[in-house]
Amino acid sequence: MGVWPRGREAFGDELVSFSQRDFRNALGCFPTGVTVVTARSAAGYNIGVTVNSFSSVSLEPALISFNLGKHLMSLQDLLDARAFAVNILQDCQGHLSGSFARQNSDKWSGIEYVPGQTGCPVLASNLATFECEPHAHHTAGDHVIIVGRVLHISTDPDAEPLVFYRGQYRVLGGRPDGEEQVSA
């Protein structure tokens, strides 16, 4: 993996004039979809984690990527998994995002899922699902970029996406669950 020749060494830290909170707030200005990445561990238990850093990478071959923090307790199990699924959530699935974002909890209690084509758990009633095999992973700062080769997709053409913007779940045209829309 290449690195640009004029990275941090070219400018040093004197140009960094923002806090980590400022950085997070600025990143929050970019609306993203909300996904739950699911897999089956080598030991046979289900893994699931909320991710909003999902992105397409390539059409040929069909590749997607997402980022996970190095601190994530299930990171190694996900890296070792034979397959994983990226479940794009519908506007009515904010509760799933919240459940899978928590560490040290029974994330799968009461969660409807089916075994996917690859054998990994696929959440029921998604906007779209990408079942993948691992293609590559790269360390980048305090995260790992995971690239998957897409083996199977499914979509619900009638569903609407759950969106994350400025620290809140949103839906296209407003806020989820009947909350009043704020007009500009």
Side-chain angles (χ1 to χ4, degrees):
M1 182 166 106
V3 177
W4 290 357
R6 289 181 188 79
R8 184 179 174 140
E9 298 80 26
F11 297 105
D13 286 329
E14 65 272 6
L15 290 182
V16 177
S17 61
F18 54 86
S19 70
Q20 191 177 60
R21 172 49 53 197
D22 293 336
F23 186 53
R24 288 179 64 104
N25 289 344
L27 291 171
C29 292
F30 183 68
T32 64
V34 182
T35 70
V36 173
V37 175
T38 56
R40 194 107 171 113
S41 75
Y45 59 85
N46 290 341
I47 305 164
V49 61
T50 299
V51 173
N52 73 338
S53 60
F54 172 74
S55 181
S56 62
V57 173
S58 169
L59 294 176
E60 185 57 44
L63 300 175
I64 55 89
S65 72
F66 58 92
N67 307 326
L68 296 175
K70 288 181 183 178
H71 69 279
L72 186 68
M73 292 175 59
S74 56
L75 177 61
Q76 194 58 54
D77 286 331
L78 276 166
L79 291 174
D80 293 341
R82 190 176 70 79
F84 57 84
V86 178
N87 303 269
I88 299 178
L89 299 186
Q90 292 186 34
D91 57 359
C92 61
Q93 294 179 308
H95 64 287
L96 289 178
S97 173
S99 293
F100 285 99
R102 290 187 201 96
Q103 296 258 19
N104 298 327
S105 65
D106 185 7
K107 298 176 182 188
W108 291 92
S109 178
I111 303 296
E112 291 183 50
Y113 67 93
V114 296
Q117 300 279 326
T118 60
C120 61
V122 171
L123 300 178
S125 303
N126 291 318
L127 180 65
T129 301
F130 298 83
E131 289 185 67
C132 304
E133 67 180 355
H135 180 76
H137 67 273
H138 309 278
T139 299
D142 59 0
H143 278 65
V144 176
I145 302 167
I146 297 174
V147 180
R149 187 171 78 85
V150 180
L151 303 173
H152 180 74
I153 60 173
S154 61
T155 63
D156 181 345
D158 299 320
E160 293 292 326
L162 181 63
V163 176
F164 195 68
Y165 175 67
R166 291 195 167 164
Q168 295 182 356
Y169 297 120
R170 309 285 179 116
V171 295
L172 294 181
R175 295 175 183 254
D177 301 327
E179 292 180 21
E180 188 175 315
Q181 182 176 346
V182 177
S183 54

